[in-house]
Amino acid sequence: MMTKNDVKIKPGKLFINGRWVDSVSGKTFDTLNPATEDVITSVAEGDSTDIDLAVTAAREAFENGPWEKTDARDRSRILLKIAGLIERNKDELALLDTLDNGKPINETTKADIPLVIDCFLYYAGWADKIHGETIPVRGEFFNYTLREPVGVVGQIIPWNFPLLMAAWKIAPALACGNTIVLKPAEQTPLTALRLGEICHEAGLPDGVLNIVPGYGPTAGAALAGHMDVDKIAFTGSSATGRIIMQAASKNLKRISLELGGKSPNIVFADSDIDSAVDGAMTGIFFNQGEVCCAGSRLFIEKSIHGEFVDKLSNKAASMRVGNPEDTGTQMGAQVSKEQFDKILGYIDTGKQEGAKLVTGGERCGEKGYFIRPTIFDAVDNNMKIAKEEIFGPVVSAITFDDVDEVVRQGNLSVYGLAAAIWTMDIKKAHRLARELKAGTVWINAYNAFDAASPFGGFKQSGFGRELGVHALESYTQIKSVWINLGS
Ligand code: NAP
Ligand code: MG
């Protein structure tokens, strides 16, 4: 296994038009390791001037460069090559995400990186299968459609799955022939930059992918408001999603938003209780709870409530929280001091609201942003901790004793990203899958993902779908062509 000493981390630059450059202002910012609070390296800080340069490069590459005109099968070949290079550098990429984000190496190695590789493989398979149709129309006409790329795409991503979020955005956009300006989150820019190197090495033409690290209100806002960007794809908080939507309205650019959640994880008495306990653990503690679809509202049927909470709290209390680089670690550090303080603030709120703290509820260790896995019981769905996205390892357990009531409560949220149901009753499972207002429903599972299956939100969790054939919709536009066959 690779350790910190095996990788030489260079100061990060901006990747514009196939070259590594400093920001025009010369400014840099530090990226930290949240497990040690040490600086990893400095990174060039892009702002609106650098975004302008990157958009100009992407526009030139789109209008006059070879990418869109490249035979689709050759685009596919480059995507395959990117997947292959990620595979070859997987240990380094896993370690970089672990250092920059604080998530356990076991997870970056076994979840993030394999999903990243799969995403590029999957869209490599699509590149030469994106096509229009012929349509029977009235009259002496031949009508057909062309499915064309949208153009220059701006992509703004969060810090919770740094490389995976870059892959979800970049792979489908490239498969469809677009050019890209990507802004990674300020907390975790390192793997996106390394991916830029990999794409360059794989033969992606200059200007097709540009990467500009920087802050949201400067670089991000400039990208979202840019008059020469055709589409913006965003993953992050609903609050920022609203700002992006406003900025995008300036030139009516297309938007897709993948935002927050407060997903109900519903456990019935007729489920396999031990599997459901494991599912509840994964649902809330995977990735330190910094997951948009985390199962943060845990609905437990009354008759099994005591047994379930006991089992869950025993497991939570014995989780190995600590050094993310250690292969035995099950939960690492929260991404930043800001996030750490926010989560501890919600834990205080939960206590004040009268929820019962069963386990956790405090920081872990003296250094680094570690928080113990935290369970609140006797939560009411109206409490703040059950309504707002905490984005940390804090679950709110709510008791129920009626199927219709739990569906109503589960849907009582401004969000609708995901939901899960644990039951052996197949009728109930399928009925609830229809009734729950969420973009993803898991039955007897939690946090299952695949590049082929769509992901996205209902309600204020956003719109547009990532992954699967559905992402191709959001990176292409349709042209209708009419040919007069009459006299
Ligand atoms: P955020 O503000 O939504 O950040 C996501 C991305 O948007 C980052 O790249 C950020 O840049 C950028 N951004 C921020 N303000 C912007 C603006 N005005 N215009 C354009 N881009 C902008 O999220 P956060 O502040 O990191 O985290 C706050 C909360 O958001 C979390 O506690 C969590 O509840 C939620 N969140 C949800 C997800 C998700 O996957 N749904 C992911 C992350 C966070 P910088 O980071 O560089 O400033
Ligand atoms: Mg960092």
Side-chain angles (χ1 to χ4, degrees), residues 64-80:
N64 303 315
W67 187 240
E68 196 209 340
K69 293 166 197 77
T70 299
D71 282 341
R73 203 150 302 146
D74 293 331
R75 280 212 301 271
S76 162
R77 221 184 256 274
I78 290 186
L79 287 167
L80 281 177

Side-chain angles (χ1 to χ4, degrees), residues 156-160 165 183-187 214-217 219-221 224 234-238 240-241 243-244 258-261 291-292 338-339 342 389-391 417:
I156 300 177
I157 57 172
W159 39 258
N160 52 344
M165 290 301 102
K183 192 204 86 66
E186 105 218 9
Q187 297 85 348
Y215 293 106
F234 170 76
T235 299
S237 62
S238 296
T240 303
I243 297 174
I244 292 203
E258 201 266 274
L259 308 172
V291 181
C292 47
E338 195 185 356
Q339 196 61 23
K342 180 182 159 189
E389 185 176 51
I390 299 176
F391 227 62
L417 194 54

Side-chain angles (χ1 to χ4, degrees), residues 137-349:
V137 291
R138 195 183 284 285
E140 294 286 291
F141 289 102
F142 172 45
N143 179 248
Y144 67 92
T145 59
L146 294 171
R147 190 173 273 277
E148 298 183 349
V150 174
V152 175
V153 174
Q155 304 182 323
I156 300 177
I157 57 172
W159 39 258
N160 52 344
F161 294 89
L163 189 61
L164 187 60
M165 290 301 102
W168 282 20
K169 298 270 183 293
I170 292 172
L174 290 182
C176 296
N178 300 281
T179 62
I180 298 170
V181 178
L182 174 94
K183 192 204 86 66
E186 105 218 9
Q187 297 85 348
T188 57
L190 297 179
T191 44
L193 294 174
R194 186 70 186 90
L195 181 61
E197 277 182 342
I198 284 174
C199 291
H200 193 63
E201 190 183 340
L204 195 68
D206 292 349
V208 173
L209 171 64
N210 305 275
I211 301 171
V212 183
Y215 293 106
T218 50
L223 189 56
H226 205 289
M227 295 302 282
D228 202 26
V229 170
D230 300 302
K231 179 200 157 76
I232 196 98
F234 170 76
T235 299
S237 62
S238 296
T240 303
R242 258 176 225 114
I243 297 174
I244 292 203
M245 208 166 160
Q246 260 173 356
S249 74
K250 279 203 229 165
N251 70 333
L252 294 169
K253 56 174 73 66
R254 281 111 190 85
I255 353 175
S256 47
L257 301 175
E258 201 266 274
L259 308 172
K262 195 73 193 178
S263 299
N265 186 11
I266 304 172
V267 183
F268 288 97
D270 60 8
S271 64
D272 171 344
I273 306 274
D274 290 328
S275 305
V277 169
D278 289 342
M281 292 287 293
T282 309
I284 191 65
F285 300 129
F286 174 62
N287 209 49
Q288 298 74 242
E290 293 170 344
V291 181
C292 47
C293 53
S296 49
R297 285 185 299 150
L298 177 61
F299 290 91
I300 308 168
E301 192 160 6
K302 201 171 185 179
S303 60
I304 54 160
H305 168 266
E307 177 192 357
F308 196 90
V309 172
D310 281 351
K311 285 187 168 172
L312 187 70
S313 62
N314 285 338
K315 285 209 166 189
S318 63
M319 268 188 105
R320 287 186 298 260
V321 183
N323 182 1
E325 292 170 69
D326 189 333
T327 48
T329 293
Q330 294 171 302
M331 221 175 72
Q334 309 306 138
V335 73
S336 63
K337 172 85 166 54
E338 195 185 356
Q339 196 61 23
F340 174 82
D341 288 341
K342 180 182 159 189
I343 297 163
L344 291 176
Y346 272 113
I347 291 173
D348 275 346
T349 304

Side-chain angles (χ1 to χ4, degrees), residues 31-34 40 99-101 186-189 335:
T31 188
L32 305 183
N33 178 342
I40 304 173
L99 294 175
D100 218 5
N101 168 280
E186 105 218 9
Q187 297 85 348
T188 57
V335 73

Side-chain angles (χ1 to χ4, degrees), residues 459-480:
K459 299 192 268 182
Q460 290 184 35
S461 293
F463 48 80
R465 290 293 177 269
E466 304 204 86
L467 302 181
V469 62
H470 308 84
L472 303 176
E473 292 284 337
S474 77
Y475 287 107
T476 54
Q477 51 194 346
I478 302 276
K479 181 181 282 173
S480 176

